[in-house]
Amino acid sequence: GIQVEQSPPDLILQEGANSTLRCNFSDSVNNLQWFHQNPWGQLINLFYIPSGTKQNGRLSATTVATERYSLLYISSSQTTDSGVYFCAVGAQGGSEKLVFGKGMKLTVNP
Amino acid sequence: GAGVSQSPSNKVTEKGKDVELRCDPISGHTALYWYRQSLGQGLEFLIYFQGNSAPDKSGLPSDRFSAERTGGSVSTLTIQRTQQEDSAVYLCASSSRDGANTGELFFGEGSRLTVL
């Protein structure tokens, strides 16, 4: 099945810093989503982005489907950005399931 | 409802007992997913429903696990003869369809299962 790799696995930042999270995938996709899991375990959908670029406030994401990667940018990070970020993909021609990466733990210190 | 609702939020059971976990998706969402997350781990796909049918059951770990969905809405995940390795948070998500593709997934808060 399709493989999803996220990097870096962990990241510690000072408040106000910027960061880039990367998601590589092994096959063509027709679905890609980024999620944030807060320290209480709730998963929030950040972006539905199988291709192209989207922005939402301090967050933006870019997916280059032909090169099989996606990037999530966090600018001017805040302590509330802490948590685990997951990338999830749906394989082109596959079932409708989304395969999740192992996640990236972000800690933003005040 | 406004969001995906799961119950119970917490379940402690003894090894060998059966458990049922319930998911009430967002109204109008035709797709429903079950995932499992062990402590500190990523999400493991279990099963996907489109309407009442389950085109993909490939993630169910054993025949002790089953799920059904009725009326295109509420789904129940049943684990029979629970084992300690079944301890995890069971997450349900729903989405509407976007043409031929799955739309954004919205997750419930999960059901934390502890098997003693």
Side-chain angles (χ1 to χ4, degrees):
Chain A
I2 194 166
Q3 303 296 313
V4 184
E5 289 186 7
Q6 292 186 239
S7 60
D10 297 280
L11 187 60
I12 299 174
L13 299 175
Q14 286 301 121
E15 204 166 23
N18 302 327
S19 62
T20 300
L21 286 58
R22 186 177 179 103
C23 173
N24 292 332
F25 41 93
S26 61
D27 210 340
S28 299
V29 300
N30 59 14
N31 193 341
L32 189 145
Q33 300 186 32
W34 283 96
F35 296 87
H36 174 225
Q37 188 168 40
N38 66 24
W40 297 271
Q42 178 66 48
L43 275 157
I44 303 297
N45 192 300
L46 298 176
F47 292 103
Y48 170 60
I49 186 166
S51 64
T53 297
K54 290 186 178 179
Q55 178 149 10
N56 184 1
R58 297 182 294 104
L59 302 183
S60 64
T62 296
T63 297
V64 184
T66 53
E67 297 187 20
R68 300 184 182 171
Y69 73 89
S70 182
L71 301 174
L72 177 69
Y73 305 96
I74 304 174
S75 65
S76 303
S77 58
Q78 300 177 358
T79 56
T80 52
D81 295 331
S82 296
V84 181
Y85 288 82
F86 290 99
C87 169
V89 303
Q92 187 98 37
S95 83
E96 299 288 340
K97 73 180 181 186
L98 287 186
V99 176
F100 279 73
K102 292 184 178 180
M104 190 286 290
K105 183 175 180 181
L106 175 65
T107 303
V108 181
N109 292 321
Chain B
V4 177
S5 177
Q6 292 189 244
S7 62
S9 55
N10 232 310
K11 176 73 175 179
V12 180
T13 191
E14 293 179 349
K15 179 181 170 181
K17 295 283 178 75
D18 297 351
V19 297
E20 283 190 352
L21 307 176
R22 176 189 166 105
C23 174
D24 198 346
I26 292 172
S27 178
H29 279 190
T30 56
L32 186 147
Y33 302 75
W34 284 98
Y35 284 86
R36 177 168 75 171
Q37 186 175 31
S38 300
L39 188 63
Q41 302 297 308
L43 275 74
E44 175 190 5
F45 170 79
L46 298 178
I47 188 169
Y48 155 71
F49 287 92
Q50 182 57 39
N52 290 336
S53 65
D56 192 342
K57 306 179 183 178
S58 61
L60 294 178
S62 75
D63 59 7
R64 295 187 296 106
F65 288 72
S66 63
E68 65 174 12
R69 188 179 185 194
T70 55
S73 180
V74 172
S75 175
T76 303
L77 176 68
T78 301
I79 309 173
Q80 294 179 310
R81 305 181 301 282
T82 51
Q83 303 294 313
Q84 289 183 331
E85 61 262 29
D86 299 336
S87 296
V89 177
Y90 289 81
L91 291 157
C92 177
S94 70
S95 77
S96 59
R97 294 294 298 276
D98 172 26
N101 300 319
T102 307
E104 296 176 59
L105 257 61
F106 294 88
F107 278 88
E109 295 188 351
S111 292
R112 181 177 297 278
L113 175 65
T114 303
V115 182
L116 301 177

